[in-house]
Amino acid sequence: MTQVGEGHETAADEAGPVLTFGAPTAGEVLAERYQLEEHVNNDSAGRQVWRGIDVILRRPVAMVLRHPGGDSAVEMLQAAVAASRVIHPNLAGVYDAIDEQDRAYVVREWVDGESLRDLVAAEGPLDPARAIAIAHSVADALTAVHATGMIHGNVHPGSTLIADDGRVVLADARADAADSTESDIRAVGGILYFALTGHWPHTEVGDSALPDANRDSAGNPAAPRQIRAGIPAYLDDLTMDLLDRRVAAPASDALTAELGRLDAAADDEEYEDVGPLRFVQSGSSSSSEPIRSAPKIMVGVGALIVIAIIGLVFGIRAINKTSNSTDAGNIPVTQPTNAGDSTVQQPAPVPQKIKITPDMVRMVDPPRGERLDGDQAKYTIDGNPATVWETSKYNTAPFGGLKPGMGVLINLGEKRSLSEVQVTTSAPGATIDVRTGSSDPGDSSNGDEKIAKDFKSLSDEKPEKSSGTKWYFSGFDPNQKYQYVLVFLTELPRAEDGDRFQISVSEIELSGY
């Protein structure tokens, strides 16, 4: 149950170290009213987050504490006071803001549920309808915030809370001088992108604990439809337009209206045919016509030019046919691919799940391994979550020091462009690495040893432990093709019965083109 509401996930800032001196304890009553019950977590600025009880009103509260108070806590307290003036069902209510000099704290609504960050980590990317509903609620909350002249400044998967009753709650406003209403709107695009892909597209917040987006050589994130199949084109366009600073950001009320339209269509299961975006900017124009983004205008103009050229060609053919019937049809008609300097862009290919058969997979268990699990590799690609590859039990997480790891080798039969690997496990906490090589040296101890030695990891970073039972990797180079892919476990979580270390892998899925 996450109540941290992190946003700017950088290291703890200089004005907000982790509370040490005068650290709070469970059972302590602050301001003669708020009793601390349980320490939940520390946020990225070093503040402690506690679940507490308002002993007067007998209701649960979330308490964000900071040491020291005084001048260093002014920004936090001012943001809390400003947020307390906005009442909205999609905003976490702020009840109190107190400065005791030695420490300061904000008391806000406790939300029974989890953050969007933890939800996606546990369940994987969300379906388009649910992603739209969450983004709609966040945009609605921002409309209320912006209407007061306030900026939220902390729209993030960690501050977007999903209550057990389904309500979406935006928490912990934390605006500073660099934030703006536009940055809030761009962050809604980030929420959509994260909900749809499981990756965070923004880079300006510094080092993030969230998985980074798959980027091109210029650092631009890949579109959701390039990462995952089944995302409607209009939703892909909306998400990327919100992230693209070359495209004017809509006002929060215009974004809320558009997301509300899409949300309603999703409820009726008609969102696949919902049509083009219809932003109507308020305040800046009296026209009722939608304001279209520059890329869409260029595509529209290019299409009109193409139509005009085709019409001209057919007109010439008609004239020639009238003047000389024996030459009719001799004028070749070509379909132009560009008009002037504007190339008509072809739609980006959509990644599809790759069908993998048992003969395309085998277990890799380097020397000093028992090679006892070979017949279980087929269970990881059969589409049946009830059949699994279950490792043996080991005394330590890194396979008891017996071997560097073990995994499943997939031979696609030919080189293919890949977009993502998805691994479903029985428990979080496994360290998984994706490696590639040029050949399979053979299903033997020597062959496994050579694979473990020669196959190269696709990530420059040290693999991190999975935080949920679904693990995603999208670091494939879009300019390369791959035939041999190794999904390699290097560390195991503790077994469910607490006896040593073990995990089960139920599904491995590859997507590509």
Short mmCIF file of all heavy atoms in Angstrom, two decimals, residues 15 66-79 98-99 103-105:
data_model
loop_
_atom_site.label_atom_id
_atom_site.label_comp_id
_atom_site.label_asym_id
_atom_site.label_seq_id
_atom_site.Cartn_x
_atom_site.Cartn_y
_atom_site.Cartn_z
N ALA A 15 17.69 20.42 1.07
CA ALA A 15 16.85 21.00 2.11
C ALA A 15 15.98 19.94 2.79
O ALA A 15 15.21 20.28 3.67
CB ALA A 15 15.95 22.08 1.50
N ARG A 66 8.97 16.23 7.83
CA ARG A 66 10.25 16.70 7.34
C ARG A 66 11.06 17.31 8.48
O ARG A 66 10.51 18.02 9.34
CB ARG A 66 10.03 17.75 6.25
CG ARG A 66 11.30 18.30 5.64
CD ARG A 66 10.96 19.27 4.54
NE ARG A 66 12.12 19.62 3.76
CZ ARG A 66 12.09 19.96 2.49
NH1 ARG A 66 10.95 19.97 1.84
NH2 ARG A 66 13.19 20.28 1.84
N HIS A 67 12.36 17.04 8.48
CA HIS A 67 13.27 17.62 9.46
C HIS A 67 14.43 18.26 8.72
O HIS A 67 15.01 17.63 7.83
CB HIS A 67 13.81 16.54 10.41
CG HIS A 67 14.96 17.02 11.26
ND1 HIS A 67 14.78 17.82 12.35
CD2 HIS A 67 16.30 16.82 11.14
CE1 HIS A 67 15.97 18.09 12.89
NE2 HIS A 67 16.90 17.49 12.17
N PRO A 68 14.76 19.53 9.02
CA PRO A 68 14.10 20.37 10.01
C PRO A 68 12.90 21.11 9.42
O PRO A 68 12.67 21.04 8.21
CB PRO A 68 15.21 21.36 10.39
CG PRO A 68 15.98 21.52 9.12
CD PRO A 68 15.96 20.16 8.46
N GLY A 69 12.19 21.82 10.28
CA GLY A 69 11.10 22.67 9.81
C GLY A 69 11.65 24.06 9.52
O GLY A 69 12.74 24.21 8.98
N GLY A 70 10.92 25.09 9.90
CA GLY A 70 11.40 26.45 9.70
C GLY A 70 11.51 26.80 8.22
O GLY A 70 10.70 26.38 7.40
N ASP A 71 12.58 27.53 7.87
CA ASP A 71 12.73 28.03 6.49
C ASP A 71 12.81 26.91 5.47
O ASP A 71 12.32 27.03 4.35
CB ASP A 71 13.99 28.91 6.39
CG ASP A 71 13.85 30.20 7.18
OD1 ASP A 71 12.70 30.57 7.50
OD2 ASP A 71 14.89 30.83 7.47
N SER A 72 13.45 25.80 5.83
CA SER A 72 13.65 24.72 4.86
C SER A 72 12.35 24.01 4.50
O SER A 72 12.28 23.31 3.49
CB SER A 72 14.65 23.69 5.40
OG SER A 72 14.12 23.05 6.54
N ALA A 73 11.32 24.19 5.32
CA ALA A 73 10.05 23.51 5.06
C ALA A 73 8.99 24.44 4.49
O ALA A 73 7.85 24.02 4.27
CB ALA A 73 9.52 22.88 6.35
N VAL A 74 9.37 25.70 4.21
CA VAL A 74 8.38 26.68 3.77
C VAL A 74 7.71 26.24 2.47
O VAL A 74 6.48 26.31 2.33
CB VAL A 74 9.05 28.07 3.59
CG1 VAL A 74 8.12 29.02 2.84
CG2 VAL A 74 9.40 28.66 4.95
N GLU A 75 8.50 25.77 1.51
CA GLU A 75 7.94 25.39 0.21
C GLU A 75 6.92 24.27 0.36
O GLU A 75 5.83 24.30 -0.21
CB GLU A 75 9.06 24.96 -0.73
CG GLU A 75 8.59 24.58 -2.13
CD GLU A 75 9.73 24.11 -3.02
OE1 GLU A 75 10.73 24.85 -3.13
OE2 GLU A 75 9.62 23.00 -3.56
N MET A 76 7.26 23.26 1.16
CA MET A 76 6.34 22.14 1.37
C MET A 76 5.05 22.60 2.02
O MET A 76 3.95 22.22 1.60
CB MET A 76 7.01 21.08 2.25
CG MET A 76 6.13 19.86 2.54
SD MET A 76 6.86 18.68 3.71
CE MET A 76 6.47 19.48 5.28
N LEU A 77 5.16 23.44 3.03
CA LEU A 77 3.97 23.89 3.75
C LEU A 77 3.12 24.82 2.88
O LEU A 77 1.88 24.75 2.92
CB LEU A 77 4.38 24.60 5.05
CG LEU A 77 5.12 23.72 6.06
CD1 LEU A 77 5.61 24.54 7.24
CD2 LEU A 77 4.23 22.58 6.54
N GLN A 78 3.77 25.69 2.11
CA GLN A 78 3.01 26.59 1.24
C GLN A 78 2.23 25.81 0.19
O GLN A 78 1.08 26.12 -0.11
CB GLN A 78 3.95 27.59 0.57
CG GLN A 78 4.45 28.69 1.49
CD GLN A 78 5.41 29.65 0.79
OE1 GLN A 78 5.96 29.33 -0.26
NE2 GLN A 78 5.60 30.82 1.37
N ALA A 79 2.88 24.78 -0.39
CA ALA A 79 2.18 23.95 -1.38
C ALA A 79 0.99 23.24 -0.75
O ALA A 79 -0.08 23.12 -1.36
CB ALA A 79 3.15 22.93 -1.97
N ILE A 98 1.67 21.92 9.62
CA ILE A 98 2.16 22.40 10.91
C ILE A 98 3.68 22.47 10.89
O ILE A 98 4.36 21.54 10.43
CB ILE A 98 1.68 21.47 12.04
CG1 ILE A 98 0.15 21.46 12.10
CG2 ILE A 98 2.27 21.88 13.38
CD1 ILE A 98 -0.42 20.41 13.04
N ASP A 99 4.22 23.57 11.42
CA ASP A 99 5.67 23.77 11.51
C ASP A 99 6.05 23.84 12.98
O ASP A 99 5.65 24.77 13.69
CB ASP A 99 6.07 25.05 10.79
CG ASP A 99 7.59 25.24 10.75
OD1 ASP A 99 8.33 24.31 11.15
OD2 ASP A 99 8.03 26.32 10.33
N ARG A 103 10.77 20.04 13.26
CA ARG A 103 10.22 19.25 12.17
C ARG A 103 8.89 19.85 11.75
O ARG A 103 8.22 20.53 12.53
CB ARG A 103 10.06 17.78 12.55
CG ARG A 103 9.14 17.52 13.74
CD ARG A 103 9.23 16.05 14.13
NE ARG A 103 8.39 15.75 15.28
CZ ARG A 103 8.43 14.60 15.96
NH1 ARG A 103 9.28 13.66 15.58
NH2 ARG A 103 7.64 14.39 16.99
N ALA A 104 8.54 19.62 10.51
CA ALA A 104 7.28 20.11 9.97
C ALA A 104 6.54 18.93 9.36
O ALA A 104 7.16 17.94 8.95
CB ALA A 104 7.53 21.19 8.93
N TYR A 105 5.23 19.04 9.28
CA TYR A 105 4.47 17.92 8.70
C TYR A 105 3.17 18.40 8.09
O TYR A 105 2.59 19.42 8.48
CB TYR A 105 4.19 16.83 9.74
CG TYR A 105 3.75 17.29 11.09
CD1 TYR A 105 2.39 17.41 11.41
CD2 TYR A 105 4.69 17.61 12.08
CE1 TYR A 105 2.00 17.83 12.68
CE2 TYR A 105 4.30 18.03 13.33
CZ TYR A 105 2.95 18.13 13.63
OH TYR A 105 2.55 18.56 14.88
#
